[in-house]
């Protein structure tokens, strides 16, 4: 089970807190110049065992949309074509990241929606510029995450220097290999690509369904072309106010809370794991494991940084908790490193697609908005958070640290406020760590006429088509005929109860075959 994909929001998020106004420096991008004539798409079969009707095509788009007849790059597309007599146009889907591949997501969405609804759409996936089967596909520094990396906690000058050297080496490698491409790997350019896809599909208006970072891409597209949006679904919404540096700081707090929820769940199931009934005792044992692995990596692979990589996916999806708990218990109770190494290989290790996803992640986030160029700012902010939220503060800092050395200038973030759209449907879990709740509330306020469906008590990231029938009924009704919950003027327009947490006795076969597990394998994690 290979789960380490590009985060995903991965990646940039807002933690719960006070709702604030859109920053004054956020701007609306200028309209693009007249585009080159849309190319015909030539669809070919690319069926898989899971998605037997999947088709694939490619589309040329300008590298620089300000020069539509200049250098062209290629986007890889997929679709499951409509089969019903009633046709509602293309439904473009995106799994987030930035850096996530959307080719398989089209098949998943088409097979997971009610058949009568899916049959009315061409469900279209794509690899955004720089990603996967699109060309050029970025891979700045293969093996950047090979184990064993320096400990993420910079408790000595030597450790801090080693991590800084790694971050700068990655940024330098990107600049050396892709100097002519990096200025155009950003969300606004990707949104221009979305419109090129719409035109190539022959659609006057677009239906769009995005998860995680895909919500930000969809909102930016809607800002550029509100008159070309027919229906817009945003699941696990990126908060618009903190793109992207502050978002990652706030994410540290939210993931720490979610990690502690996982440890409390282990304490509730002491009969299965034998780590104690006191959550604080379990937490102490986890950090003791981390300290031991910093000195002696498990299997020569899982040091302290790799351990954090392995357990971070539990903050995205609680379906992984039984696997992570078993590995934890085996190490602490029996000194058995095998399950921990297996968990790392399944959840934490990077492969070539992960290298590509991380390259695009950094390219987009470092280009989209400004980051501190003085490392003292990063150090002060991270140590300030560490006492409150030790789980991933420094791991996340080093993950984003190439932006301190990035070879391109930064753009200004896009003002997402929009009063020109048809009703937009938003989905948000109250305990989501990757895109915390307040981000969805803020987007709801800024997208005039939008409707917010809340999963009360939920902590997963990416919540529709993941087994919650209440949420999925709202999604299906909206895609079927535009129906949205009426609401009562409160913060949420509809509330659905969360699914229960998993149990230790849940079989691995059942867990890995669930829709939730499949979806989260496609959405991936934070790079």
């Amino acid at each position: 089970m290979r789960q380490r994909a590009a985060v995903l929001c991965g990646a940039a998020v807002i933690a719960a807190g006070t709702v604030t106004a859109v920053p004054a420096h956020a701007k609306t991008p200028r309209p693009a110049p007249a585009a080159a004539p849309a190319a015909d798409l030539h669809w070919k079969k690319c069926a898989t065992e899971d998605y037997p009707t999947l088709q694939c095509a490619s589309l040329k788009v300008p590298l620089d949309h300000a020069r539509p007849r200049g250098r062209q790059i290629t986007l890889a597309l997929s679709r499951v074509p409509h089969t019903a007599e009633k046709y509602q146009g293309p439904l473009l889907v995106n799994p987030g990241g930035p850096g996530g591949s959307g080719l398989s997501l089209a098949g998943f969405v088409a097979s997971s929606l009610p058949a009568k609804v899916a049959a009315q759409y061409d469900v279209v996936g794509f690899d955004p510029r720089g990603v996967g089967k699109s060309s050029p596909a970025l891979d700045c520094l293969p093996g950047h995450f090979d184990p064993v990396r320096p400990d993420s906690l910079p408790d000595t000058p030597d450790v801090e220097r080693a991590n800084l050297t790694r971050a700068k080496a990655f940024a330098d490698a990107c600049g050396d290999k892709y100097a002519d491409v990096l200025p155009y790997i950003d969300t606004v350019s990707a949104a221009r690509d979305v419109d090129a896809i719409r035109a190539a599909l022959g659609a006057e208006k677009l239906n769009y369904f995005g998860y995680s970072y895909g919500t930000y891409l969809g909102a930016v597209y809607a800002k550029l072309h509100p008159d070309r949006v027919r229906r817009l679904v945003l699941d696990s919404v990126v908060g618009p106010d903190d793109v992207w540096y502050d978002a990652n700081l706030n994410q540290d707090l939210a993931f720490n809370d979610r990690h502690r929820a996982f440890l409390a769940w282990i304490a509730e199931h002491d009969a299965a794991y034998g780590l104690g009934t006191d959550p604080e005792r379990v937490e102490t044992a986890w950090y003791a494991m981390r300290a031991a692995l910093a000195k002696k990596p498990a299997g020569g692979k899982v040091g302290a940084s790799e351990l954090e990589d392995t357990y971070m996916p539990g903050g995205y999806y609680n379906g992984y908790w039984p696997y992570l708990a078993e590995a934890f218990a085996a190490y602490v109770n029996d000194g058995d490193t095998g399950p921990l190494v297996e968990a790392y290989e399944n959840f934490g290790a990077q492969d070539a697609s992960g290298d590509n996803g991380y390259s695009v992640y950094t390219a987009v986030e470092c280009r989209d908005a400004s980051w501190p160029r003085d490392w003292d700012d990063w150090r002060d902010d991270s140590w300030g958070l560490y006492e409150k939220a030790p789980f991933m503060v420094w791991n996340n800092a080093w993950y984003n640290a190439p932006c301190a050395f990035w070879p391109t200038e930064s753009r200004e973030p896009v003002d997402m406020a929009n009063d020109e759209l048809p009703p937009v449907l938003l989905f948000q879990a109250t305990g989501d760590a990757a895109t915390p709740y307040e981000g969805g509330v803020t987007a709801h306020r800024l997208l005039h006429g939008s409707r917010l469906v809340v999963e009360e008590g939920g902590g997963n990231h990416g919540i529709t088509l993941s087994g919650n029938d209440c949420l999925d009924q709202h999604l299906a009704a909206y895609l079927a005929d535009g129906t949205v919950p009426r609401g009562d003027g409160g913060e949420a327009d509809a509330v659905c109860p969360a699914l229960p947490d998993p149990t230790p006795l849940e079989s691995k076969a059942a867990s890995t075959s669930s829709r939730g597990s499949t979806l989260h394998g496609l959405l991936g994690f934070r790079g």
Side-chain angles (χ1 to χ4, degrees):
M1 182 174 65
R2 196 68 167 179
Q3 296 290 348
R4 188 65 173 177
V7 215
L8 341 126
C9 182
V13 296
I14 302 297
T18 304
V19 177
T20 56
V22 174
H25 61 269
K27 292 186 176 181
T28 302
R30 295 177 181 176
D40 291 332
L41 295 175
H42 302 286
W43 295 99
K44 299 180 180 179
K45 292 181 180 180
C46 58
T48 67
E49 182 177 352
D50 292 330
Y51 311 122
T53 61
L54 200 65
Q55 301 174 345
C56 293
S58 62
L59 174 66
K60 296 286 187 181
V61 297
L63 174 65
D64 179 0
H65 282 278
R67 301 176 58 209
R69 299 185 185 276
R71 178 182 171 184
Q72 303 291 295
I73 60 175
T74 303
L75 304 180
L77 310 180
S78 65
R79 76 170 179 182
V80 175
H82 74 283
T83 56
E85 184 176 346
K86 179 181 179 181
Y87 177 53
Q88 299 204 54
L91 173 64
L92 191 67
V93 298
N94 180 271
S101 168
L103 298 182
S104 294
L105 184 63
F108 173 82
V109 170
S111 62
S112 299
L113 287 170
K116 290 183 178 180
V117 176
Q120 298 174 21
Y121 289 92
D122 288 338
V123 183
V124 179
F126 68 109
D127 280 354
R129 55 176 53 205
V131 174
K133 293 186 178 180
S134 292
S135 180
L138 306 190
D139 191 350
C140 295
L141 190 59
H144 181 68
F145 287 95
D146 285 353
V148 172
R149 308 197 309 274
D151 190 337
S152 65
L153 184 64
D155 53 0
T156 69
D158 286 346
V159 174
E160 181 178 47
R161 190 176 305 111
N163 280 294
L164 276 172
T165 298
R166 285 186 70 255
K168 187 176 186 302
F170 187 87
D172 290 346
C174 287
D176 291 342
K177 292 179 71 172
Y178 302 112
D180 56 340
V181 174
L182 291 183
Y184 309 104
I185 306 295
D186 61 88
T187 300
V188 171
S189 295
R192 308 269 192 218
D193 293 343
V194 167
D195 201 54
I197 294 171
R198 175 202 59 78
L201 294 170
E204 292 186 6
K205 294 192 175 187
L206 189 67
N207 306 287
Y208 179 93
F209 179 12
Y211 290 96
S212 192
Y213 164 80
T215 67
Y216 183 66
L217 175 59
V220 170
Y221 176 76
K223 186 71 174 187
L224 293 174
H225 301 294
D227 57 322
R228 299 175 189 172
V229 174
R230 182 175 180 268
R231 289 185 186 141
L232 183 62
V233 181
L234 308 180
D235 182 330
S236 304
V237 184
V238 168
D241 294 349
D242 293 339
V243 175
W244 294 113
Y245 177 72
D246 288 342
N248 279 278
L249 294 176
N250 291 332
Q251 186 184 53
D252 297 337
L253 297 168
F255 266 98
N256 195 76
D257 288 344
R258 194 64 181 150
H259 184 61
R260 296 193 73 189
F262 161 63
L263 299 176
W265 177 84
I266 291 176
E268 291 175 2
H269 297 286
D270 181 55
Y273 302 118
L275 291 168
T277 60
D278 181 357
E280 291 189 6
R281 176 183 169 185
V282 176
E283 185 173 12
T284 298
W286 194 90
Y287 283 101
M289 176 175 65
R290 186 196 184 284
L293 292 170
K295 297 177 180 178
K296 185 179 179 181
K301 290 183 177 181
V302 186
S305 296
E306 290 74 25
L307 181 75
E308 292 163 346
D309 294 346
T310 302
Y311 280 78
M312 193 174 299
Y316 286 84
Y317 178 52
N318 62 5
Y320 301 139
W321 286 5
Y323 301 92
L324 298 173
E326 287 176 8
F328 179 17
Y331 182 87
V332 172
N333 295 331
D334 305 321
D336 184 358
T337 61
L340 191 60
V341 172
E342 181 182 3
Y344 164 71
E345 291 172 345
N346 288 335
F347 300 116
Q350 289 275 29
D351 58 12
S353 67
D355 287 343
N356 167 243
Y358 179 65
S359 297
V360 177
Y361 170 89
T362 49
V364 171
E365 295 221 349
C366 300
R367 175 69 170 136
D368 264 2
S370 62
W371 295 72
R373 294 287 181 159
D374 186 341
W375 183 249
D376 289 344
D377 293 335
W378 295 68
R379 181 189 296 113
D380 291 346
D381 289 338
S382 296
W383 279 122
L385 281 173
Y386 179 76
E387 294 301 322
K388 303 175 185 176
F391 171 55
M392 68 170 280
V393 166
W394 278 108
N395 188 294
N396 204 25
W398 298 122
Y399 194 84
N400 291 283
C403 292
F405 311 102
W406 203 246
T408 67
E409 295 181 355
S410 298
R411 305 185 65 142
E412 294 179 331
V414 175
D415 178 357
M416 280 174 48
N418 202 325
D419 60 2
E420 301 180 50
L421 295 172
V424 175
L425 190 59
L426 313 177
F427 291 92
Q428 194 71 39
T430 54
D432 184 357
T435 51
Y437 180 70
E438 286 299 331
V441 174
T442 303
H444 181 30
R445 175 173 56 82
L446 294 177
L447 299 173
H448 180 74
S450 63
R451 300 293 192 274
L452 175 62
V453 180
V454 170
E455 186 182 46
E456 183 67 39
N460 288 340
H461 176 68
I463 54 177
T464 58
L465 304 183
S466 191
N468 189 318
D469 291 340
C470 175
L471 298 172
D472 291 352
Q473 287 169 7
H474 287 290
L475 174 64
Y478 179 69
L479 293 177
D481 57 21
T483 298
V484 294
R486 300 183 67 175
D488 58 5
E491 191 170 77
D493 299 291
V495 177
C496 292
L499 297 175
D501 285 333
T503 67
L505 300 179
E506 182 179 20
S507 74
K508 291 186 177 182
S511 178
T512 55
S513 65
S514 69
R515 275 202 299 161
S517 179
T518 302
L519 173 64
H520 287 84
L522 294 173
L523 299 187
F525 310 124
R526 185 215 58 183

